[in-house]
Amino acid sequence: MEDLMLTIPVNQTDHILGPATAKVAVVEYGDFECPYCRQAYGAMKVVVNRYDGRIKFVFRHFPLTAWHPNAELAAEAAEAAGAQHKFWPMYDLLFEHQHNLKLDALRRYAAMLELDPARFDNDLNDHIYLQRVREHQDGGIKSQVRSMPAFFVNGELQDVTFGMEHLEAAIDRALRS
């Protein structure tokens, strides 16, 4: 497989889990309604824990709206939560309740996280973060993302079609280099 590279480097607008100064960056393009992304979510919990403090994990949105009608609004909800410093807790709730990503459920998740309800509703009603979600998608398209989830380790696309162990092997190589 040709080397496919991340075209938009990790930057200050990304949501980063782990130390920003970590030597290894794992970037995922994902969709909150995608069943494969849900599987990767569980695996990434293990990976982030295993490499605690040695990697930074970035999640970028790539809602496949043709197949997942609620994914785009869920991505907007994650960004709205992020504006209130709760991106990662909302990320968890969205994947853990993937079967219910309609507006009423998103409002319940926001209440569970004690977000400002008026601000959250306004952000979703006015699609304040839709441009950001679409910028993530555009970055994924420029990086030749073709399927969900898509993972990059230090900018290089990793094929996880046959399992996340390929991702861990790439992380191990990057940590050794």
Side-chain angles (χ1 to χ4, degrees), residues 5-170:
M5 301 302 291
L6 185 67
T7 58
I8 310 293
V10 174
N11 61 67
Q12 72 278 3
T13 66
D14 282 311
H15 300 286
I16 298 173
L17 194 58
T21 57
K23 168 179 169 176
V24 177
V26 178
V27 176
E28 176 186 359
Y29 281 91
D31 170 327
F32 287 114
E33 207 169 4
C34 165
Y36 301 112
C37 295
R38 172 64 176 94
Q39 288 178 322
Y41 161 76
M44 279 310 296
K45 287 282 206 200
V46 172
V47 169
V48 167
N49 190 44
R50 180 173 295 145
Y51 295 98
D52 185 36
R54 297 183 293 155
I55 67 169
K56 57 186 161 199
F57 173 56
V58 172
F59 183 85
R60 292 181 178 168
H61 307 288
F62 203 97
L64 300 172
T65 54
W67 296 279
H68 305 132
N70 301 304
E72 190 170 76
L73 190 61
E76 290 181 67
E79 289 301 316
Q84 297 186 48
H85 311 288
K86 298 277 180 95
F87 176 84
W88 291 107
M90 181 63 85
Y91 161 92
D92 289 338
L93 284 172
L94 295 173
F95 275 124
E96 289 164 9
H97 301 282
Q98 184 180 67
H99 60 281
N100 193 358
L101 299 177
K102 293 189 182 328
L103 182 58
D104 287 345
L106 299 176
R107 286 185 177 127
R108 278 196 311 278
Y109 307 149
M112 290 167 66
L113 297 176
E114 299 178 351
L115 300 181
D116 176 326
R119 180 177 173 189
F120 184 81
D121 276 349
N122 288 338
D123 287 351
L124 292 188
N125 291 336
D126 294 342
H127 299 285
I128 299 295
Y129 297 102
L130 183 57
Q131 179 178 343
R132 178 173 170 79
V133 170
R134 292 199 173 146
E135 286 169 359
H136 281 190
Q137 258 182 318
D138 290 343
I141 290 166
K142 288 176 184 159
S143 299
Q144 300 184 46
V145 166
R146 294 186 180 103
S147 62
M148 290 296 102
F151 288 95
F152 293 82
V153 174
N154 282 356
E156 189 175 327
L157 184 65
Q158 304 301 313
D159 184 358
V160 296
T161 307
F162 300 107
M164 295 292 279
E165 60 273 2
H166 299 288
L167 181 68
E168 291 188 54

